[in-house]
Amino acid sequence: MSWILGNPGNRVLLLGNEAIARGAIEAGVNFVIGYPGTPSSEILAALARVADKLGIYVNWAINEKVALETAVGASLSGLRSLVTMKHVGVNVAADPLMTLAYIGVIGGFVLISADDPQCHTSQTEQDNRYYAMLAKIPVLEPTNPQEAKDMTRIAFSISEEHQIPVMLRSTPRLSHTFGEVVLGEITKSSRKPSFPRDPDRWVCVGPTALRRHKILEEKQNKIKEVIDNLDFNKLILNNAVDIGIITVGVAYNYVLYAIDKLNIGDKVNVLKICSSNPLPEKNVLSFLKRNRKILIVEELDPIVEKQVLALAKKFNIDTEIYGKLDGFLPLVGELNPDTVAIAIAKFMNIPYEVTEKLSTTDFSVPQRGLAFCAGCPHRATYYSLRKVLREIKKSYIVTGDIGCYTIGKASPFNILDTCICMGASISMASGFELSKASDVVIAVIGDSTFLHNGIPPLINAVYNNSKIKVLILDNETTAMTGHQPHPGTGYTATGAKSKKVLIEDLAKACGVEFVKIVDPYNLKETQKVLREAIEFNGPAVVILRRTCALLYSRMARAKGIKLKKYAVVQDKCRGCLLCIRDFGCPAMIYDSSTKKVHIDPFLCTGCGVCVDICPFNAIEEVGQ
Amino acid sequence: MSKTVEKSFNVVLAGVGGQGVILAATILANAAVRAGLSARVGQTFTAAQRIGSVSAHVRLGRVIHSPLIGVGDADVILGLEFLEGLRYLNYLKRGGLLIVNTYIFPPRQIMLGQSKYPDPKEVEDIVVKKFSAKVIKVNATEVAKSIGSSLLTNTVMLGVLSRVSGFPIDHRYLVESIRERSPSKYVELNIKAFNTGRKLIPQL
């Protein structure tokens, strides 16, 4: 991915996340750390690929709190530090973030919060701009990859100059949007780390904390002025027009699209601002004064809208202000060119229907439900778990967690009862178990998620004498976000070797007496161990260890190892469909003309588990 | 402010996870940038890495802002898989073009008899009558296999797309883009697939 190291002046296609990475490189970033989470993961991954070349530190942390705190250490040593995470990751990192705003930073400190309007790949669509308000730190909101790069760069300067962490807020329509970017100069950093010892600042308690809070408040006006003067605030004015739209970040794109589509380019003024905290007040005030009515278009919560309403009240301006609070735009879900066009048409009192919205109601295209990849070890695990749970004739609850294995909620397994956040499977299981809500309580969690936030709840389960059964689905990678390494893999983000932390050792050290490791591809053994764990009188941990099938096939291909192949012996197949209905392997294709199943050799990864589930022994290995 | 949506070339690419929808979109956008145009790709995928529905909005033109296309504004829908090509038909503009691969990856519910395939005849009728649109069916996966791998389906389809009237990029930029963005082992095969795709349909 050499293009993120392209020469200044080059115009290249970059993913929003790559543009953020380039912005950090241009700013001379020294230290990069984060935890994978869609849509943020490609930022750190892009930097990891060039880390050695640039001589910067890049690595994944065990979770977002640890990532942020580690970066605080680097920043206090004078290094420019970047921390990346998804929006819910900031929940985990919120504790240090609040205090960091008080003590302030030395080396520029930029926190990327990648929000997820529409919950494309998340459990909430929370608006993290509230965290910037809560911590009283500035948040920059880029519109496109070019601004993502430029704002990341400037975020470091603002942070360093005002000794305050700066948040950059992204969404999938920025992070996962490709667009052209003109590259800027790369700052070659030769910073020598040096920590200015000052316990009256860095030991933030009591009177020190109160004094630092005062300093933080005193910074606010200066930062407001900086934000107000940034070129990223853009104004489009039409003479004699007194109707306007205020927008921020990615929503600006949809506003321009809608104006174009509605053909009202000469009938409306537009102010695009680059931050909702602090609000660029001078820009907003003068826009308020020149327009008789205003529509506010922003992604997620009406944060700008509420501030503009307050500002109008304070300055006694009677401009009409519309937005999400009065239903012009939806509070739920992400914006798109159509929702924005509908809102603007209504605001401008011009007729507009989505006339072309035809067709898909005329015939239905069957949905593709969520499914595990062919060869996924989780499929085998859930197949065994469901079998055992049906056999034991006891009531049960299965708590789930965040990862690929959350797909166990979907057909054909329909096995998960809960999923709220990283690590919650284990603590919630304890809650159910201690409440005696069912005979058996099982927690399902992945390897990376266990390391992220599963260890304290496991210790707690032991301490509280909660007899939960914890299944750690160890596919030896952080699969869902794109196969990032973690401490259990024994290597780092840049591919360097590191000490391998063993999950079984951790489980034992937590005080769990029943810790067993099985290969989920071995159905018989897995089912035996699951039964033992359920019968065990105390908390039990079963580690189901088998490399992610996608990762394994990729590694095998790279190393020239041929994967095993399987086929259905057509004479033996009775078309019972068990392999599709109960096992759900996508490599199994039913041919309605022959009424038999065959295996797609391209999709099959050669796990061979289907051999053991076919009731007619119709599946055989066919060589490579 | 001048009108730009009409002047941009908008394509919805759709397929199944693993078919290389995003790579194809990236190759397109990268070729546009090489040709001095502006480009945006907005992507949509689910938590499933394989087998799920994947789509990308690609917008090419002199000035492009939105990464997403509005409903009814796509010049072309490029379906790398038959059903996925139909899924986003509401994005097609009147007089637009549906280019769809005949390859079908059957959803589980169809194989289990819980759901039915849309009737191709009926679909074509709707596309032609309601959208005044054209349908081009290509057996891109078969062609890709004959070149070397079904993995080349995406570049075969790009070859077909490059023959559409109003397509704003010279094919040489696409070849350069394939060279730059596809995995090094597959560069020559992808170029071959692209050139084969160009010959599958006459210039439109």
Side-chain angles (χ1 to χ4, degrees):
Chain A
M1 306 273 166
S2 56
W3 44 87
I4 82 157
L5 289 183
N7 292 328
N10 279 6
R11 187 171 168 278
V12 295
L13 184 81
L14 292 184
L15 188 65
N17 278 343
E18 293 171 333
I20 291 170
R22 170 71 187 202
I25 293 169
E26 289 183 8
V29 71
N30 309 100
F31 197 94
V32 184
I33 194 159
Y35 185 80
T38 313
S40 73
S41 315
E42 297 85 358
I43 304 167
L44 195 143
L47 288 164
R49 282 191 285 270
V50 297
D52 291 343
K53 199 165 177 189
L54 294 170
I56 60 176
Y57 182 85
V58 181
N59 206 355
W60 295 112
I62 199 164
N63 68 32
E64 295 86 354
K65 177 179 188 286
V66 172
L68 195 138
E69 290 159 349
T70 308
V72 172
S75 169
L76 266 46
S77 308
L79 302 183
R80 287 202 158 180
S81 307
L82 178 74
V83 194
T84 70
M85 58 192 68
K86 69 184 293 174
H87 61 338
V88 287
V90 183
N91 297 339
V92 179
D95 198 356
L97 179 63
M98 297 305 134
T99 320
L100 179 63
Y102 276 27
I103 62 172
V105 306
I106 301 289
F109 188 105
V110 177
L111 165 64
I112 310 288
S113 167
D115 291 11
D116 189 10
Q118 197 71 24
C119 303
H120 289 285
T121 50
S122 308
Q123 62 270 43
T124 72
E125 53 173 0
Q126 63 184 51
D127 193 327
N128 271 19
R129 298 178 299 169
Y130 283 123
Y131 271 119
M133 300 179 97
L134 185 60
K136 302 181 176 183
I137 61 172
V139 54
L140 295 177
E141 300 173 55
T143 293
N144 53 40
Q146 181 74 54
E147 281 195 357
K149 176 187 85 64
D150 296 340
M151 283 192 191
T152 303
R153 184 182 180 131
I154 215 150
F156 277 100
S157 326
I158 296 172
S159 169
E160 211 160 271
E161 190 179 332
H162 300 274
Q163 300 204 351
I164 193 167
V166 174
M167 179 189 279
L168 186 123
R169 188 246 201 164
S170 184
T171 63
R173 299 307 171 200
L174 178 72
S175 277
H176 286 165
T177 284
F178 282 95
E180 68 282 359
V181 175
V182 178
L183 304 178
E185 294 286 341
I186 293 177
T187 307
K188 283 251 165 23
S189 173
S190 52
R191 292 189 184 203
K192 294 275 172 292
S194 158
F195 170 53
R197 186 163 273 121
D198 183 2
D200 285 339
R201 179 172 175 189
W202 310 126
V203 183
C204 189
V205 284
T208 302
L210 203 62
R211 191 166 45 76
R212 292 305 309 180
H213 181 196
K214 189 159 176 277
I215 291 170
L216 177 62
E217 295 298 343
E218 285 162 0
K219 289 175 185 174
Q220 300 296 318
N221 277 334
K222 275 183 245 162
I223 292 170
K224 194 176 280 183
E225 205 178 309
V226 170
I227 299 286
D228 231 325
N229 289 325
L230 289 176
D231 289 342
F232 301 115
N233 300 307
K234 285 198 174 97
L235 193 58
I236 304 172
L237 292 178
N238 283 298
N239 279 335
V241 169
D242 60 356
I243 295 175
I245 296 170
I246 297 179
T247 184
V248 57
V250 166
Y252 177 53
N253 298 312
Y254 308 142
V255 168
L256 292 178
Y257 193 104
I259 286 175
D260 201 54
K261 200 165 174 180
L262 297 168
N263 203 9
I264 51 168
D266 53 355
K267 295 185 181 68
V268 65
N269 302 318
V270 180
L271 172 66
K272 191 269 288 192
I273 56 176
C274 66
S275 170
S276 48
N277 192 64
L279 192 75
E281 246 177 53
K282 275 188 221 151
N283 278 284
V284 172
L285 260 179
S286 71
F287 197 73
L288 269 176
K289 283 175 188 161
R290 72 167 287 153
N291 291 290
R292 123 187 105 77
K293 65 173 194 171
I294 279 174
L295 177 72
I296 294 168
V297 184
E298 60 190 312
E299 200 73 274
L300 289 176
D301 288 355
I303 290 176
V304 169
E305 189 178 339
K306 284 179 180 169
Q307 293 183 79
V308 174
L309 282 164
L311 205 63
K313 175 79 182 164
K314 187 174 159 193
F315 287 89
N316 220 359
I317 299 167
D318 58 0
T319 303
E320 296 167 37
I321 296 160
Y322 302 98
K324 296 206 165 189
L325 294 171
D326 38 27
F328 273 73
L329 285 147
L331 281 161
V332 177
E334 69 174 345
L335 299 176
N336 61 50
D338 299 303
T339 49
V340 172
I342 291 165
I344 292 178
K346 185 177 163 196
F347 169 69
M348 306 277 294
N349 284 319
I350 49 176
Y352 175 69
E353 298 167 62
V354 188
T355 47
E356 310 284 343
K357 200 165 190 171
L358 296 164
S359 82
T360 40
T361 47
D362 296 337
F363 62 89
S364 77
V365 180
Q367 293 297 323
R368 295 183 192 276
L370 287 174
F372 294 113
C373 306
C376 179
H378 300 336
R379 170 180 297 105
T381 295
Y382 282 136
Y383 186 84
S384 288
L385 178 61
R386 191 181 50 189
K387 190 156 190 290
V388 168
L389 288 176
R390 278 176 183 166
E391 283 166 7
I392 56 169
K393 309 250 182 287
K394 286 180 180 170
S395 66
Y396 58 83
I397 292 170
V398 181
T399 59
D401 223 300
I402 309 279
C404 288
Y405 45 88
T406 317
I407 296 174
K409 181 221 174 220
S411 177
F413 300 107
N414 308 306
I415 205 167
L416 295 184
D417 293 307
T418 67
C419 170
I420 64 168
C421 70
M422 298 283 282
S425 59
I426 299 178
S427 8
M428 284 179 69
S430 282
F432 283 123
E433 200 276 335
L434 294 167
S435 311
K436 306 288 170 225
S438 73
D439 300 336
V440 179
V441 186
I442 294 184
V444 176
I445 187 167
D447 43 344
S448 192
T449 307
F450 175 71
L451 294 166
H452 176 284
N453 240 339
I455 300 164
L458 186 59
I459 298 170
N460 192 65
V462 172
Y463 171 60
N464 287 180
N465 193 27
S466 168
K467 294 165 185 170
I468 57 168
K469 316 301 166 187
V470 179
L471 311 189
I472 302 176
L473 275 52
D474 181 4
N475 58 4
E476 304 185 301
T477 186
T478 316
M480 192 165 65
T481 45
H483 301 110
Q484 294 82 6
H486 59 62
T489 65
Y491 60 97
T492 72
T494 54
K497 281 212 164 193
S498 75
K499 169 90 183 166
K500 192 167 177 167
V501 178
L502 297 175
I503 291 174
E504 51 273 32
D505 290 357
L506 286 169
K508 283 177 203 153
C510 289
V512 179
E513 286 166 18
F514 183 108
V515 178
K516 287 200 175 177
I517 305 167
V518 285
D519 175 0
Y521 281 178
N522 186 336
L523 297 178
K524 224 170 154 187
E525 180 66 16
T526 300
Q527 288 161 20
K528 180 176 152 259
V529 171
L530 288 177
R531 278 185 214 104
E532 285 171 16
I534 289 169
E535 279 156 24
F536 184 76
N537 186 26
V541 167
V542 179
I543 300 165
L544 297 115
R545 181 167 291 152
R546 173 56 80 159
T547 307
C548 164
L550 268 189
L551 186 64
Y552 179 76
S553 355
R554 209 170 289 163
M555 289 188 321
R557 225 178 295 140
K559 288 181 184 162
I561 301 169
K562 293 271 184 208
L563 298 173
K564 286 183 184 174
K565 289 289 169 200
Y566 291 84
V568 179
V569 179
Q570 294 294 296
D571 289 348
K572 290 191 187 173
C573 177
R574 309 262 186 100
C576 73
L577 293 182
L578 181 136
C579 53
I580 293 173
R581 196 185 55 240
D582 290 357
F583 193 56
C585 177
M588 297 291 186
I589 309 289
Y590 176 64
D591 186 335
S592 53
S593 60
T594 60
K595 302 216 179 316
K596 289 181 192 296
V597 172
H598 65 269
I599 293 175
D600 183 326
F602 186 71
L603 287 174
C604 177
T605 60
C607 75
V609 177
C610 53
V611 172
D612 295 324
I613 65 138
C614 176
F616 304 105
N617 298 314
I619 302 170
E620 289 177 4
E621 193 181 336
V622 287
Q624 295 160 345
Chain B
M1 280 178 275
S2 64
K3 303 231 354 139
T4 54
V5 174
E6 281 74 18
K7 286 179 196 159
S8 59
F9 191 84
N10 301 317
V11 190
V12 175
L13 270 88
V16 178
Q19 279 195 303
V21 170
I22 304 300
L23 179 61
T26 311
I27 288 171
L28 258 183
N30 187 49
V33 172
R34 280 173 158 271
L37 293 174
S38 172
R40 293 287 183 276
V41 178
Q43 338 167 11
T44 300
F45 47 81
T46 62
Q49 294 221 10
R50 288 286 180 273
I51 320 304
S53 297
V54 179
S55 69
H57 289 196
V58 180
R59 306 195 57 226
L60 316 169
R62 260 171 30 80
V63 186
I64 304 285
H65 297 285
S66 171
L68 295 179
I69 300 169
V71 164
D73 286 343
D75 297 275
V76 178
I77 291 177
L78 194 72
L80 270 55
E81 191 267 355
F82 189 72
L83 297 174
E84 296 308 315
L86 304 184
R87 197 181 297 287
Y88 304 100
L89 212 47
N90 57 332
Y91 280 93
L92 194 61
K93 74 175 182 193
R94 282 178 189 280
L97 189 59
L98 169 68
I99 305 177
V100 68
N101 185 5
T102 50
Y103 166 76
I104 293 180
F105 186 77
R108 206 170 140 261
Q109 42 173 297
I110 284 189
M111 295 194 285
L112 294 177
Q114 296 158 352
S115 182
K116 275 188 179 156
Y117 287 114
D119 175 14
K121 187 87 191 64
E122 190 190 331
V123 169
E124 206 161 332
D125 242 39
I126 288 165
V127 177
V128 174
K129 283 189 189 144
K130 274 193 140 166
F131 289 86
S132 336
K134 240 182 157 171
V135 185
I136 296 178
K137 285 179 268 183
V138 210
N139 57 346
T141 301
E142 291 309 311
V143 172
K145 278 182 187 164
S146 74
I147 298 168
S149 164
S150 58
L151 276 175
L152 304 166
T153 303
N154 54 355
T155 32
V156 171
M157 292 296 281
L158 284 183
V160 178
L161 177 69
S162 72
R163 300 282 281 170
V164 169
S165 95
F167 182 73
I169 317 164
D170 190 284
H171 74 275
R172 281 169 305 179
Y173 291 113
L174 274 157
V175 172
E176 280 175 27
S177 181
I178 290 171
R179 226 175 258 293
E180 186 184 288
R181 295 275 170 157
S182 52
S184 50
K185 262 170 57 181
Y186 291 97
V187 166
E188 293 310 323
L189 279 173
N190 270 314
I191 292 172
K192 194 174 168 195
F194 174 75
N195 285 327
T196 312
R198 282 178 63 75
K199 289 175 202 139
L200 286 182
I201 63 162
Q203 177 80 51
L204 293 173

